[in-house]
Structures are given as structure tokens and as C-alpha cells.
Coordinates of all heavy atoms in Angstrom, one line a residue:
N103 N -9.2 -15.9 35.7 CA -8.1 -15.3 35.0 C -8.5 -14.8 33.6 O -8.8 -15.7 32.7 CB -7.0 -16.4 34.9 CG -5.7 -15.9 34.4 OD1 -5.5 -14.6 34.3 ND2 -4.7 -16.7 34.1
D104 N -8.4 -13.6 33.4 CA -8.8 -13.0 32.1 C -7.7 -12.9 31.1 O -6.7 -12.2 31.4 CB -9.4 -11.5 32.4 CG -9.7 -10.8 31.1 OD1 -9.9 -11.5 30.0 OD2 -9.9 -9.6 31.1
A105 N -7.8 -13.6 30.0 CA -6.7 -13.6 29.0 C -7.2 -13.1 27.7 O -6.5 -13.1 26.7 CB -6.2 -15.0 28.8
Q106 N -8.4 -12.6 27.7 CA -9.1 -12.1 26.4 C -8.9 -10.5 26.3 O -9.3 -9.8 27.2 CB -10.5 -12.4 26.4 CG -11.2 -12.1 25.1 CD -12.7 -12.6 25.1 OE1 -13.2 -13.2 26.1 NE2 -13.3 -12.4 24.0
P107 N -8.3 -10.1 25.2 CA -8.1 -8.6 25.0 C -9.4 -7.9 24.7 O -10.4 -8.6 24.3 CB -7.1 -8.5 23.9 CG -7.4 -9.8 23.1 CD -7.7 -10.8 24.1
P108 N -9.5 -6.6 24.9 CA -10.7 -5.9 24.5 C -11.0 -6.0 23.0 O -10.1 -6.2 22.2 CB -10.3 -4.4 24.8 CG -9.2 -4.5 25.8 CD -8.5 -5.8 25.5
A109 N -12.2 -5.9 22.7 CA -12.7 -6.0 21.3 C -13.1 -4.7 20.8 O -13.6 -3.9 21.5 CB -13.8 -7.0 21.1
V110 N -12.9 -4.4 19.5 CA -13.3 -3.2 18.8 C -14.3 -3.6 17.7 O -13.9 -4.4 16.8 CB -12.1 -2.4 18.2 CG1 -12.6 -1.2 17.5 CG2 -11.1 -2.2 19.3
S111 N -15.5 -3.1 17.8 CA -16.5 -3.6 16.8 C -16.5 -2.7 15.5 O -17.1 -3.1 14.5 CB -17.9 -3.5 17.4 OG -18.3 -2.2 17.8
N112 N -15.8 -1.6 15.6 CA -15.8 -0.7 14.4 C -14.4 -0.2 14.1 O -14.1 1.0 14.1 CB -16.7 0.5 14.6 CG -16.3 1.4 15.7 OD1 -15.7 0.9 16.7 ND2 -16.7 2.7 15.6
P113 N -13.4 -1.1 13.9 CA -12.0 -0.7 13.7 C -11.9 0.2 12.5 O -12.6 0.0 11.5 CB -11.2 -2.0 13.5 CG -12.2 -2.9 13.0 CD -13.6 -2.5 13.7
P114 N -11.0 1.2 12.5 CA -10.8 2.0 11.3 C -10.1 1.3 10.2 O -9.5 0.2 10.4 CB -9.9 3.2 11.8 CG -9.2 2.5 12.9 CD -10.1 1.6 13.6
A115 N -10.3 1.7 9.0 CA -9.7 1.1 7.8 C -8.1 1.2 8.1 O -7.7 2.3 8.4 CB -10.1 1.7 6.5
P116 N -7.4 0.1 7.9 CA -6.0 0.2 8.1 C -5.2 1.1 7.2 O -4.1 1.6 7.5 CB -5.5 -1.3 8.0 CG -6.6 -2.0 7.4 CD -7.8 -1.2 7.5
F117 N -5.7 1.3 5.9 CA -5.0 2.1 5.0 C -6.0 2.9 4.2 O -7.0 2.4 3.7 CB -4.2 1.3 4.0 CG -3.5 2.1 2.9 CD1 -2.3 2.7 3.2 CD2 -4.0 2.3 1.7 CE1 -1.6 3.5 2.3 CE2 -3.4 3.1 0.7 CZ -2.1 3.6 1.0
V118 N -5.7 4.3 4.2 CA -6.6 5.2 3.4 C -5.7 6.1 2.6 O -4.7 6.5 3.1 CB -7.4 6.1 4.4 CG1 -8.2 7.1 3.7 CG2 -8.3 5.2 5.3
Q119 N -6.1 6.4 1.4 CA -5.4 7.3 0.5 C -6.4 8.4 0.0 O -7.5 8.0 -0.4 CB -4.8 6.6 -0.7 CG -3.9 7.6 -1.5 CD -3.0 6.9 -2.5 OE1 -2.9 5.6 -2.5 NE2 -2.3 7.6 -3.3
V120 N -6.0 9.6 0.2 CA -6.8 10.8 -0.2 C -5.9 11.7 -1.0 O -4.7 11.7 -0.9 CB -7.5 11.5 1.0 CG1 -8.4 10.5 1.7 CG2 -6.4 12.0 2.0
A121 N -6.6 12.6 -1.7 CA -5.9 13.6 -2.6 C -5.5 14.9 -1.9 O -4.6 15.6 -2.3 CB -6.7 13.8 -3.9
C122 N -6.3 15.3 -0.9 CA -6.1 16.6 -0.3 C -6.2 16.4 1.3 O -7.0 15.6 1.8 CB -7.2 17.5 -0.7 SG -7.3 17.8 -2.4
P123 N -5.5 17.3 2.0 CA -5.6 17.2 3.5 C -7.0 17.4 4.0 O -7.4 16.9 5.0 CB -4.7 18.3 3.9 CG -3.7 18.5 2.8 CD -4.5 18.2 1.6
T124 N -7.8 18.1 3.3 CA -9.2 18.4 3.7 C -10.1 17.1 3.7 O -11.1 17.0 4.2 CB -9.9 19.5 2.9 OG1 -9.9 19.1 1.5 CG2 -9.2 20.8 3.1
L125 N -9.6 16.1 3.0 CA -10.3 14.8 2.8 C -9.9 13.7 3.8 O -10.4 12.6 3.8 CB -10.1 14.3 1.4 CG -10.7 15.2 0.3 CD1 -10.4 14.6 -1.1 CD2 -12.2 15.4 0.4
V126 N -8.9 14.1 4.7 CA -8.5 13.1 5.7 C -9.7 12.9 6.6 O -10.4 13.8 7.1 CB -7.3 13.7 6.6 CG1 -7.0 12.8 7.8 CG2 -6.1 13.8 5.7
P127 N -10.0 11.6 6.8 CA -11.2 11.3 7.7 C -10.9 11.7 9.1 O -9.8 11.6 9.6 CB -11.3 9.8 7.6 CG -10.0 9.3 7.1 CD -9.4 10.4 6.3
P128 N -12.0 12.0 9.8 CA -11.8 12.4 11.3 C -11.4 11.2 12.1 O -11.6 10.0 11.7 CB -13.2 12.9 11.7 CG -14.1 12.3 10.7 CD -13.4 12.1 9.4
V129 N -10.9 11.4 13.2 CA -10.5 10.3 14.1 C -11.8 9.6 14.6 O -12.7 10.3 15.1 CB -9.7 10.8 15.4 CG1 -9.4 9.7 16.3 CG2 -8.4 11.5 14.9
P130 N -11.9 8.3 14.3 CA -13.2 7.7 14.7 C -13.3 7.5 16.2 O -12.3 7.4 16.9 CB -13.1 6.3 14.0 CG -11.6 6.1 13.9 CD -11.0 7.4 13.7
V131 N -14.6 7.4 16.7 CA -14.9 7.0 18.0 C -15.0 5.5 18.0 O -15.9 5.0 17.3 CB -16.1 7.7 18.5 CG1 -16.5 7.2 19.9 CG2 -16.0 9.2 18.5
L132 N -14.2 4.8 18.7 CA -14.2 3.3 18.7 C -15.3 2.8 19.6 O -15.5 3.3 20.7 CB -12.8 2.8 19.1 CG -11.6 3.2 18.3 CD1 -10.4 2.6 18.8 CD2 -11.8 2.9 16.8
N133 N -15.9 1.7 19.2 CA -16.9 1.0 20.0 C -16.1 -0.1 20.7 O -15.7 -1.1 20.0 CB -18.1 0.5 19.2 CG -18.9 1.7 18.7 OD1 -19.1 2.7 19.3 ND2 -19.5 1.5 17.5
L134 N -15.9 -0.1 22.0 CA -15.1 -1.1 22.7 C -16.0 -2.0 23.6 O -17.0 -1.5 24.1 CB -14.1 -0.4 23.6 CG -13.2 0.7 22.9 CD1 -12.3 1.4 24.0 CD2 -12.4 0.1 21.8
S135 N -15.5 -3.2 23.7 CA -16.1 -4.1 24.7 C -15.1 -5.0 25.2 O -14.0 -5.2 24.6 CB -17.2 -4.9 24.0 OG -16.7 -5.8 23.0
D136 N -15.3 -5.5 26.4 CA -14.4 -6.4 27.1 C -15.2 -7.3 28.0 O -16.2 -6.9 28.5 CB -13.3 -5.6 27.9 CG -12.2 -6.5 28.4 OD1 -11.5 -7.0 27.6 OD2 -12.2 -6.7 29.7
N137 N -14.7 -8.5 28.2 CA -15.4 -9.5 29.0 C -15.4 -9.2 30.5 O -16.2 -9.7 31.2 CB -14.9 -10.9 28.7 CG -13.5 -11.1 29.0 OD1 -12.7 -10.2 29.0 ND2 -13.1 -12.4 29.4
C138 N -14.4 -8.4 30.9 CA -14.3 -8.1 32.4 C -14.3 -6.6 32.7 O -14.6 -6.3 33.8 CB -13.1 -8.8 32.9 SG -13.2 -10.6 33.0
T139 N -13.8 -5.8 31.8 CA -13.6 -4.4 32.1 C -14.7 -3.6 31.4 O -14.9 -3.7 30.2 CB -12.3 -3.9 31.6 OG1 -11.3 -4.7 32.2 CG2 -12.0 -2.4 32.0
T140 N -15.5 -2.7 32.1 CA -16.5 -2.0 31.5 C -16.0 -0.8 30.6 O -16.6 -0.5 29.6 CB -17.5 -1.4 32.5 OG1 -16.8 -0.6 33.5 CG2 -18.2 -2.5 33.3
S141 N -14.9 -0.2 31.0 CA -14.3 0.9 30.2 C -12.8 0.7 30.0 O -12.0 1.2 30.8 CB -14.6 2.2 30.9 OG -15.9 2.5 31.0
P142 N -12.4 -0.1 29.0 CA -11.0 -0.3 28.8 C -10.3 1.0 28.5 O -10.9 2.0 28.0 CB -10.9 -1.2 27.6 CG -12.3 -1.8 27.4 CD -13.2 -0.8 28.0
G143 N -9.0 1.1 28.9 CA -8.2 2.3 28.7 C -7.8 2.4 27.3 O -7.5 1.4 26.6
V144 N -7.8 3.7 26.8 CA -7.3 3.9 25.4 C -6.2 4.9 25.3 O -6.4 6.0 25.9 CB -8.5 4.4 24.5 CG1 -8.1 4.6 23.1 CG2 -9.7 3.4 24.5
V145 N -5.1 4.6 24.7 CA -4.0 5.5 24.4 C -4.0 5.7 22.9 O -3.9 4.8 22.1 CB -2.7 5.0 24.9 CG1 -1.6 5.9 24.5 CG2 -2.7 4.8 26.4
F146 N -4.2 7.0 22.5 CA -4.2 7.3 21.1 C -3.0 8.2 20.7 O -2.6 9.1 21.5 CB -5.5 8.1 20.7 CG -5.5 8.7 19.3 CD1 -5.8 7.8 18.3 CD2 -5.3 10.0 19.1 CE1 -5.8 8.3 17.0 CE2 -5.4 10.5 17.8 CZ -5.6 9.7 16.8
A147 N -2.4 7.9 19.6 CA -1.3 8.7 19.1 C -1.5 9.0 17.6 O -2.0 8.1 16.9 CB 0.0 8.0 19.4
E148 N -1.0 10.2 17.2 CA -1.1 10.5 15.8 C 0.2 11.2 15.4 O 0.7 12.1 16.1 CB -2.3 11.4 15.5 CG -2.5 11.8 14.1 CD -3.8 12.6 13.9 OE1 -3.8 13.8 14.1 OE2 -4.8 11.9 13.5
S149 N 0.8 10.8 14.3 CA 2.0 11.5 13.8 C 1.9 11.7 12.3 O 1.3 10.9 11.6 CB 3.3 10.6 14.2 OG 3.2 9.4 13.5
S150 N 2.7 12.7 11.9 CA 2.7 13.0 10.5 C 4.1 13.0 10.0 O 5.0 13.5 10.6 CB 2.0 14.4 10.3 OG 2.1 14.8 8.9
E151 N 4.3 12.5 8.8 CA 5.6 12.4 8.2 C 5.6 13.0 6.8 O 5.0 12.4 5.8 CB 6.1 11.0 8.1 CG 7.5 10.8 7.6 CD 7.9 9.3 7.6 OE1 7.5 8.6 8.5 OE2 8.6 8.9 6.6
P152 N 6.1 14.2 6.6 CA 6.1 14.9 5.3 C 7.1 14.1 4.4 O 8.1 13.6 4.8 CB 6.5 16.3 5.5 CG 7.2 16.3 6.8 CD 6.7 15.1 7.6
N153 N 6.8 14.1 3.1 CA 7.6 13.5 2.1 C 7.4 14.2 0.8 O 6.7 13.7 -0.1 CB 7.3 12.0 2.0 CG 8.4 11.2 1.3 OD1 9.3 11.8 0.7 ND2 8.2 9.9 1.2
G154 N 8.1 15.3 0.6 CA 8.0 16.0 -0.6 C 6.6 16.6 -0.9 O 6.0 17.3 -0.1
C155 N 5.9 16.1 -1.9 CA 4.6 16.6 -2.3 C 3.5 15.8 -1.7 O 2.3 16.0 -2.0 CB 4.4 16.5 -3.8 SG 5.5 17.6 -4.7
Y156 N 3.8 14.9 -0.8 CA 2.7 14.2 -0.1 C 3.1 14.0 1.4 O 4.3 14.3 1.7 CB 2.3 12.9 -0.8 CG 3.4 11.8 -0.7 CD1 3.3 10.8 0.3 CD2 4.4 11.7 -1.6 CE1 4.3 9.9 0.4 CE2 5.4 10.7 -1.5 CZ 5.3 9.8 -0.5 OH 6.2 8.8 -0.4
F157 N 2.2 13.5 2.2 CA 2.6 13.2 3.6 C 1.8 12.0 4.0 O 0.8 11.6 3.5 CB 2.5 14.4 4.5 CG 1.0 14.8 4.8 CD1 0.4 14.3 5.9 CD2 0.4 15.7 4.0 CE1 -0.9 14.7 6.2 CE2 -0.9 16.2 4.3 CZ -1.5 15.6 5.4
T158 N 2.4 11.3 5.0 CA 1.7 10.2 5.6 C 1.3 10.5 7.1 O 2.1 11.0 7.8 CB 2.7 9.0 5.6 OG1 3.1 8.7 4.3 CG2 2.1 7.7 6.2
L159 N 0.1 10.2 7.4 CA -0.4 10.4 8.7 C -0.6 9.0 9.3 O -1.3 8.1 8.7 CB -1.7 11.1 8.6 CG -2.5 11.5 9.9 CD1 -1.6 12.5 10.7 CD2 -3.8 12.1 9.6
T160 N -0.1 8.7 10.5 CA -0.2 7.5 11.2 C -0.9 7.6 12.5 O -0.6 8.5 13.3 CB 1.2 6.8 11.4 OG1 1.9 6.7 10.2 CG2 1.1 5.4 12.1
R161 N -2.0 6.9 12.7 CA -2.8 6.9 13.9 C -2.6 5.5 14.5 O -2.7 4.5 13.9 CB -4.2 7.2 13.6 CG -4.5 8.5 13.0 CD -5.9 8.6 12.6 NE -6.2 10.0 12.1 CZ -7.3 10.4 11.5 NH1 -8.2 9.4 11.2 NH2 -7.5 11.6 11.2
S162 N -2.5 5.5 15.9 CA -2.4 4.2 16.6 C -3.3 4.3 17.8 O -3.4 5.4 18.5 CB -1.0 3.8 16.9 OG -0.4 4.8 17.7
W163 N -3.9 3.2 18.2 CA -4.7 3.0 19.4 C -4.1 1.8 20.1 O -3.9 0.8 19.5 CB -6.1 2.8 19.1 CG -6.9 3.9 18.4 CD1 -7.7 4.8 19.0 CD2 -6.9 4.2 17.0 NE1 -8.2 5.7 18.1 CE2 -7.8 5.3 16.8 CE3 -6.3 3.6 15.9 CZ2 -8.0 5.9 15.6 CZ3 -6.6 4.2 14.6 CH2 -7.4 5.3 14.5
E164 N -4.0 2.0 21.4 CA -3.7 0.8 22.3 C -4.8 0.8 23.3 O -5.0 1.7 24.1 CB -2.3 1.0 22.9 CG -1.9 -0.2 23.8 CD -0.5 -0.1 24.3 OE1 0.5 -0.3 23.5 OE2 -0.3 0.4 25.4
I165 N -5.5 -0.3 23.3 CA -6.7 -0.5 24.2 C -6.3 -1.6 25.2 O -6.0 -2.7 24.8 CB -8.0 -0.9 23.4 CG1 -8.2 0.2 22.3 CG2 -9.2 -1.0 24.3 CD1 -8.1 -0.3 21.0
T166 N -6.4 -1.3 26.5 CA -6.0 -2.2 27.5 C -7.1 -2.3 28.6 O -7.7 -1.4 29.1 CB -4.7 -1.7 28.2 OG1 -3.7 -1.4 27.2 CG2 -4.1 -2.7 29.2
D167 N -7.3 -3.6 29.0 CA -8.3 -3.8 30.1 C -7.6 -3.9 31.4 O -6.3 -3.7 31.5 CB -9.1 -5.1 29.8 CG -8.3 -6.4 29.8 OD1 -7.2 -6.4 30.3 OD2 -8.9 -7.4 29.4
E168 N -8.3 -4.1 32.5 CA -7.8 -4.1 33.8 C -6.8 -5.2 34.1 O -6.0 -5.2 35.0 CB -8.9 -4.2 34.9 CG -9.8 -2.9 34.9 CD -11.0 -3.1 35.8 OE1 -11.2 -4.1 36.4 OE2 -11.7 -2.1 35.9
C169 N -6.8 -6.3 33.3 CA -5.8 -7.4 33.4 C -4.6 -7.3 32.5 O -3.9 -8.2 32.3 CB -6.5 -8.7 33.2 SG -7.8 -9.0 34.5
D170 N -4.4 -6.1 31.9 CA -3.3 -5.8 31.0 C -3.4 -6.5 29.7 O -2.4 -6.7 29.0 CB -2.0 -5.9 31.7 CG -1.7 -4.9 32.7 OD1 -2.2 -3.7 32.5 OD2 -1.0 -5.2 33.7
N171 N -4.5 -7.0 29.3 CA -4.7 -7.6 27.9 C -4.9 -6.4 27.0 O -5.6 -5.4 27.3 CB -6.0 -8.5 27.9 CG -5.8 -9.6 28.8 OD1 -4.9 -10.4 28.8 ND2 -6.8 -9.8 29.7
T172 N -4.2 -6.4 25.9 CA -4.1 -5.3 25.0 C -4.5 -5.6 23.5 O -4.1 -6.6 23.0 CB -2.7 -4.7 25.0 OG1 -2.4 -4.3 26.3 CG2 -2.6 -3.4 24.1
T173 N -5.2 -4.7 22.9 CA -5.5 -4.7 21.5 C -4.9 -3.5 20.9 O -5.0 -2.4 21.5 CB -7.1 -4.7 21.3 OG1 -7.6 -5.8 21.9 CG2 -7.4 -4.6 19.8
T174 N -4.2 -3.6 19.8 CA -3.5 -2.5 19.2 C -4.1 -2.4 17.7 O -4.2 -3.4 17.0 CB -2.0 -2.7 19.1 OG1 -1.5 -2.9 20.4 CG2 -1.3 -1.5 18.5
L175 N -4.4 -1.1 17.4 CA -4.9 -0.8 16.0 C -4.0 0.3 15.4 O -3.5 1.1 16.1 CB -6.3 -0.3 16.0 CG -7.4 -1.2 16.6 CD1 -8.7 -0.4 16.7 CD2 -7.6 -2.4 15.8
E176 N -3.8 0.2 14.1 CA -3.0 1.3 13.4 C -3.7 1.6 12.1 O -4.3 0.7 11.4 CB -1.6 0.8 13.2 CG -0.7 1.9 12.6 CD 0.7 1.6 12.7 OE1 1.3 1.6 13.7 OE2 1.3 1.4 11.6
Q177 N -3.7 2.9 11.8 CA -4.3 3.4 10.6 C -3.2 4.3 9.9 O -2.7 5.2 10.5 CB -5.5 4.2 10.8 CG -6.2 4.7 9.5 CD -7.4 5.5 9.8 OE1 -7.4 6.4 10.6 NE2 -8.5 5.1 9.1
T178 N -3.0 4.0 8.6 CA -2.0 4.8 7.8 C -2.8 5.6 6.8 O -3.6 4.9 6.0 CB -1.0 4.0 7.2 OG1 -0.3 3.2 8.2 CG2 0.0 4.8 6.4
I179 N -2.7 6.9 6.7 CA -3.4 7.7 5.8 C -2.3 8.4 4.9 O -1.5 9.1 5.4 CB -4.3 8.8 6.4 CG1 -5.3 8.0 7.3 CG2 -5.0 9.6 5.4 CD1 -6.1 9.0 8.3
V180 N -2.4 8.2 3.6 CA -1.5 8.8 2.7 C -2.2 9.9 2.0 O -3.3 9.7 1.4 CB -0.9 7.8 1.6 CG1 -0.1 8.5 0.6 CG2 -0.1 6.7 2.3
V181 N -1.7 11.1 2.1 CA -2.3 12.3 1.4 C -1.4 12.6 0.2 O -0.2 13.1 0.4 CB -2.4 13.5 2.4 CG1 -3.0 14.7 1.7 CG2 -3.2 13.1 3.6
Q182 N -1.9 12.4 -1.0 CA -1.1 12.6 -2.2 C -2.0 13.0 -3.3 O -2.9 12.3 -3.7 CB -0.3 11.4 -2.6 CG 0.6 11.6 -3.8 CD 1.4 10.3 -4.0 OE1 1.2 9.3 -3.5 NE2 2.5 10.5 -4.8
D183 N -1.7 14.2 -3.9 CA -2.5 14.7 -5.0 C -1.9 14.1 -6.3 O -0.8 14.5 -6.7 CB -2.5 16.2 -5.0 CG -3.3 16.8 -6.1 OD1 -3.9 16.1 -6.9 OD2 -3.3 18.1 -6.2
N184 N -2.6 13.2 -7.0 CA -2.1 12.6 -8.2 C -2.8 13.2 -9.4 O -2.6 12.8 -10.5 CB -2.4 11.1 -8.2 CG -1.5 10.4 -7.2 OD1 -0.3 10.8 -7.0 ND2 -2.0 9.4 -6.5
T185 N -3.6 14.3 -9.2 CA -4.4 14.9 -10.3 C -3.6 16.1 -10.8 O -3.4 17.0 -10.1 CB -5.8 15.3 -9.8 OG1 -6.4 14.2 -9.2 CG2 -6.6 15.8 -11.0
P186 N -3.2 16.0 -12.1 CA -2.5 17.2 -12.7 C -3.5 18.4 -12.8 O -4.7 18.2 -12.9 CB -2.1 16.7 -14.0 CG -2.9 15.6 -14.4 CD -3.4 15.0 -13.1
P187 N -2.9 19.6 -12.8 CA -3.7 20.8 -13.0 C -4.3 20.8 -14.4 O -3.8 20.2 -15.3 CB -2.7 22.0 -12.8 CG -1.4 21.4 -12.8 CD -1.5 19.9 -12.6
F188 N -5.4 21.5 -14.5 CA -6.1 21.6 -15.8 C -6.7 23.0 -16.0 O -7.0 23.7 -15.0 CB -7.1 20.5 -16.0 CG -8.2 20.5 -15.0 CD1 -9.4 21.2 -15.3 CD2 -8.1 19.9 -13.8 CE1 -10.4 21.3 -14.4 CE2 -9.1 19.9 -12.9 CZ -10.3 20.6 -13.2
F189 N -6.9 23.4 -17.3 CA -7.5 24.6 -17.6 C -9.0 24.4 -17.8 O -9.5 23.4 -18.2 CB -6.9 25.2 -18.9 CG -5.5 25.6 -18.8 CD1 -4.5 24.7 -19.4 CD2 -5.1 26.8 -18.3 CE1 -3.2 25.1 -19.3 CE2 -3.8 27.1 -18.2 CZ -2.8 26.3 -18.7
T190 N -9.7 25.5 -17.3 CA -11.2 25.4 -17.5 C -11.6 26.5 -18.4 O -11.0 27.5 -18.7 CB -11.9 25.5 -16.2 OG1 -11.5 26.8 -15.6 CG2 -11.6 24.4 -15.2

């Protein structure tokens, strides 16, 4: 009877803040392992929520093995420019 959920050896940072959309980190490739399933299933979702001059990007992963044991990860990325313009 398998009661152990899949493990992730390189989970993404749960919270990231960047100043520009070009600095948003790419979606990571997760390193997964499980005591019974060689390739656990992964469901990935990404959503964006605009909020005035900044936006929040939410990424979630649900990793499930053959016995329906599940590991859930979430990453929140806030994109907000806090640097005022300046003359050069």
C-alpha cells in the first residue's frame, strides 16, 4: 500500500519579485521521484492577475503517482517596477 507522495528535488522558489516582465524566470523543469511510480503525472497551470502598474503571476503544479498520492507546489511571481525614472 503506497501512501508516500511523489518528491520534488528542485522545487521552485515559492515567492519571486521582479521589476520587469522580461525578468520573470522560466518555468522550471522539475526533478521528480516516487517510491512506486517511475513517471508521476504532472498537471501545470499558470494564471496572471493584472493590478494597475503591476501584475501577479501564479504557477501551480500537481504531481500524482499511480496510487493517487499527490504533491502540490505553487509559485507566486510579482512583477512590479519600483524604480522611478531618471535623467541621464
Side-chain angles (χ1 to χ4, degrees):
N103 188 11
D104 177 18
Q106 187 174 2
V110 180
S111 65
N112 63 333
F117 180 80
V118 176
Q119 185 166 354
V120 296
C122 301
T124 57
L125 298 175
V126 170
V129 176
V131 175
L132 302 178
N133 293 327
L134 308 175
S135 62
D136 188 67
N137 62 330
C138 290
T139 305
T140 56
S141 296
V144 178
V145 175
F146 173 74
E148 184 174 80
S149 63
S150 178
E151 184 178 322
N153 192 355
C155 293
Y156 70 95
F157 69 92
T158 302
L159 183 66
T160 303
R161 296 172 173 168
S162 63
W163 294 262
E164 185 174 278
I165 304 114
T166 306
D167 67 13
E168 291 175 356
C169 293
D170 290 329
N171 299 306
T172 301
T173 298
T174 303
L175 301 173
E176 187 168 285
Q177 181 180 53
T178 301
I179 302 169
V180 174
V181 180
Q182 183 174 16
D183 181 2
N184 291 322
T185 305
F188 60 91
F189 293 102
T190 58

